[in-house]
Amino acid sequence: MSLSNWIWTDDQQHFLTENSIVASFFESCAQLKIAFAILTSNGDLLVHNKAFSEIINRDLGWKALLKKEIFLMRSMKKEVALIEHQTKNDEKEQQFEILLKMQLAEEHTLFICQIEEITEAYNCESLILDMNYQLTQKIKEINQAQVKILNQEKLVGIGQLAAGVAHEINNPLGFVKSNFKMLDDYFREITKLLIRLKSEFSDFKKNCEEDDVTPSAKLFFEEIENYIEASDYKYILEDYEGLFQDTSVGLERVEKIVSGLRKFSRVDHMMSFTEFNINEGLEETLMIANNEIKYDAEVIKDMQYVPLTYAIAGEINQVLLNILINAVHAIKEKGKNFKGLIKVTTRSDEKYIYCEIMDNGMGIKTSDQEQIFMPFFTTKEVGLGTGLGMSIAYDIITNKHGGEISFISEYGLGTTFKIKIPIRKVDVDTVDEFMNI
Ligand SMILES: Nc1ncnc2c1ncn2[C@@H]1O[C@H](COP(=O)(O)OP(=O)(O)OP(=O)(O)O)[C@@H](O)[C@H]1O
Ligand SMILES: [Mg+2]
């Protein structure tokens, strides 16, 4: 009986030749390709097969590792341990699985150890995990692209509708505004005339009363006075000023909405691209918005050098203004004594210009976040917001400049809007030409 696949000491060899059953057991185990060994409670090797010695002789660390694991098992009173171990063989990573089992043999504690190389399975598993990760990323990207396309389609549809509505409202609005202005002027003239007539009448009546008045003239005066009294003219004169003012504000608001709709739907799309520096744009916009901001928030500027790009300066500035005004509104929502903060940051790399506007205002509820760029979505009170600001910003950045606009927000803590604009070094005249580049 050959026991050649085992590594024996002389004593062990002798014992085995004496005990044939044990010897035949070891002979069967020796055929296994799996590395197999029995270790003492100190982690010293008692017996092991050839496969085992082939593995552990490759690397000096094996014996120390087994000793350490056995020590741990004993101190934690663990009967079985399954350990993964990685080594390098000729610069190739190898992965092993070690199974250690405590075995009581009379008064001795022995440890049975089995080592199996699982490099292939391990590599397959990590390959599958990697592919799975990539697949999940791709699915995410596809989903995001789908949402983007859907949003764009919706925006295009709404844009066409908006263009129609804006056009239909714009024409009558023009003559309503100019007629209203004339009416206001006429009414002021008539009012002046009325006041003058009233005062002339009072003087005339007074003069006549001092002389002797005929009964018919007296009746005439009375009739006129009754007529004046019944006309409620005092109330009308007091009230009309407010009515005209409110109507004028209302008309301005309608005009603002129409102009917003026109911008949103790109009715006036002959806008030219010129050299644009976003830092300058931000400075100009902050100056314009200063009156809105200064009582409610401190502005921190963290602007680094950014290269010039070709952009529609007025439009980008409008985006910045819309974002800044929204930030102030969100800060105001936190109450009078709240210390508001707006931080503007600009950065760039060789392809893009990045701008971030952060505020510590009220933030946006998770349930509202999907709708921020939709036209007419507003959480502001009636009359305070048209809900067009961010949809216009989306159109300007993505459709007109081929950039991206996004935000992160936590309700109660604040919001950061992020804009990314590609650096264009070409001069183009219109948006359509730009989009064809
Ligand atoms: N920085 C911000 N913090 C909190 N909420 C914001 C912020 N920016 C935008 N929002 C939310 O997005 C909504 C839509 O903004 P958008 O600018 O489009 O419209 P609006 O500000 O309501 O009206 P307007 O058309 O007059 O700008 C706002 O009503 C508000 O709820
Ligand atoms: Mg707004």
Side-chain angles (χ1 to χ4, degrees):
M1 186 169 293
S2 154
L3 290 168
S4 56
N5 278 340
W6 288 94
I7 316 293
W8 304 112
T9 61
D10 288 348
D11 283 355
Q12 285 166 348
Q13 186 77 49
H14 177 73
F15 172 80
L16 286 165
T17 14
E18 296 286 302
N19 296 274
S20 63
I21 295 180
V22 181
S24 84
F25 166 75
F26 275 108
E27 177 58 23
S28 315
C29 291
Q31 309 304 321
L32 295 174
K33 287 210 175 111
I34 294 171
F36 188 80
I38 299 174
L39 295 101
T40 66
S41 57
N42 290 330
D44 291 326
L45 276 172
L46 210 54
V47 288
H48 58 282
N49 67 0
K50 234 182 183 168
F52 191 91
S53 66
E54 270 169 18
I55 290 177
I56 66 162
N57 288 341
R58 273 183 224 158
D59 177 350
L60 291 175
W62 273 105
K63 285 187 182 157
L65 174 79
L66 293 173
K67 268 183 186 280
K68 185 188 94 188
E69 292 300 336
I70 285 174
F71 173 78
L72 286 175
M73 281 176 77
R74 285 178 54 204
S75 49
M76 290 159 77
K77 298 200 172 18
K78 258 171 87 175
E79 288 188 6
V80 183
L82 190 66
I83 306 132
E84 288 211 345
H85 180 58
Q86 214 171 29
T87 61
K88 261 192 175 169
N89 187 21
D90 291 338
E91 292 306 306
K92 270 191 204 147
E93 295 278 0
Q94 283 185 312
Q95 190 74 20
F96 292 95
E97 197 173 72
I98 309 162
L99 178 69
L100 275 168
K101 195 165 179 307
M102 186 194 279
Q103 188 72 52
L104 293 176
E106 294 178 356
E107 72 271 25
H108 298 293
T109 306
L110 297 176
F111 285 84
I112 297 167
C113 175
Q114 175 191 313
I115 303 178
E116 200 178 349
E117 186 179 346
I118 54 161
T119 312
E120 217 166 295
Y122 181 80
N123 285 347
C124 278
E125 193 187 319
S126 41
L127 197 74
I128 288 169
L129 280 177
D130 195 39
M131 280 165 68
N132 209 0
Y133 174 76
Q134 283 182 21
L135 203 67
T136 322
Q137 288 303 105
K138 285 275 173 265
I139 291 172
K140 248 190 214 163
E141 275 169 32
I142 291 170
N143 284 342
Q144 278 168 357
Q146 249 172 355
V147 171
K148 223 173 175 180
I149 291 168
L150 264 176
N151 264 342
Q152 271 168 358
E153 272 174 4
K154 260 192 228 165
L155 287 178
V156 169
I158 293 167
Q160 282 162 352
L161 183 75
V165 174
H167 181 77
E168 290 304 311
I169 297 177
N170 206 37
N171 290 342
L173 184 65
F175 64 75
V176 168
K177 262 196 83 177
S178 78
N179 289 359
F180 179 71
K181 172 86 186 56
M182 297 281 279
L183 273 177
D184 192 16
D185 293 345
Y186 290 168
F187 202 84
R188 276 174 208 282
E189 286 305 317
I190 290 173
T191 308
K192 267 194 230 158
L193 183 70
L194 260 178
I195 292 169
R196 176 88 191 267
L197 282 177
K198 166 86 179 30
S199 118
E200 294 284 339
F201 171 72
S202 301
D203 291 348
F204 178 68
K205 192 185 142 209
K206 217 169 158 193
N207 291 338
C208 291
E209 273 168 2
E210 280 167 14
D211 307 332
D212 224 0
V213 198
T214 60
S216 61
K218 217 172 179 180
L219 197 68
F220 174 70
F221 290 150
E222 259 174 34
E223 263 177 25
I224 297 274
E225 269 174 341
N226 285 344
Y227 187 73
I228 292 174
E229 213 50 48
S231 74
D232 244 356
Y233 91 101
K234 269 191 188 152
Y235 174 78
I236 293 172
L237 289 187
E238 267 169 28
D239 204 36
Y240 97 93
E241 192 83 47
L243 284 177
F244 270 81
Q245 225 161 35
D246 287 354
T247 312
S248 174
V249 169
L251 280 173
E252 265 168 35
R253 203 177 290 160
V254 175
E255 203 179 22
K256 204 175 140 198
I257 294 173
V258 171
S259 127
L261 285 175
R262 287 169 74 87
K263 278 182 183 145
F264 174 73
S265 58
R266 292 212 254 161
V267 173
D268 318 298
H269 78 294
M270 285 296 287
M271 296 148 298
S272 55
F273 281 74
T274 49
E275 269 193 342
F276 175 69
N277 179 326
I278 199 157
N279 286 346
E280 284 171 17
L282 262 171
E283 291 286 4
E284 283 164 22
T285 313
L286 280 168
M287 216 158 69
I288 292 170
N290 187 37
N291 254 346
E292 272 283 313
I293 301 174
K294 67 183 177 197
Y295 301 110
D296 300 289
E298 182 195 347
V299 176
I300 296 177
K301 298 176 198 166
D302 175 15
M303 300 194 236
Q304 284 187 358
Y305 163 81
V306 287
L308 292 173
T309 183
Y310 276 88
I312 311 164
E315 301 264 291
I316 302 274
N317 288 352
Q318 195 197 339
V319 172
L320 300 174
L321 186 67
N322 288 353
I323 296 176
L324 283 167
I325 298 297
N326 281 346
V328 182
H329 287 166
I331 285 167
K332 276 187 181 157
E333 260 188 76
K334 280 198 157 172
K336 268 211 154 148
N337 295 326
F338 178 70
K339 210 169 168 293
L341 193 76
I342 295 177
K343 186 174 174 192
V344 293
T345 310
T346 52
R347 295 284 184 274
S348 65
D349 56 26
E350 64 281 10
K351 280 192 175 164
Y352 295 98
I353 288 167
Y354 303 89
C355 172
E356 286 191 9
I357 299 179
M358 184 223 91
D359 69 71
N360 62 349
M362 199 42 121
I364 305 170
K365 286 184 188 149
T366 321
S367 53
D368 290 342
Q369 292 192 2
E370 263 184 28
Q371 306 185 68
I372 296 303
F373 295 114
M374 296 309 293
F376 302 110
F377 174 77
T378 182
T379 54
K380 290 168 192 171
E381 277 171 39
V382 179
L384 281 183
T386 59
L388 284 171
M390 286 303 101
S391 57
I392 292 171
Y394 183 89
D395 184 52
I396 292 173
I397 299 296
T398 59
N399 298 333
K400 294 181 184 165
H401 290 84
E404 283 172 25
I405 178 167
S406 60
F407 65 88
I408 44 169
S409 185
E410 204 163 322
Y411 191 59
L413 288 181
T415 306
T416 304
F417 270 86
K418 300 176 181 195
I419 300 171
K420 178 173 156 186
I421 310 170
I423 299 171
R424 298 276 169 179
K425 299 202 167 76
V426 206
D427 187 3
V428 278
D429 280 342
T430 66
V431 173
D432 292 340
E433 273 181 55
F434 170 81
M435 295 316 277
N436 286 335
I437 286 176

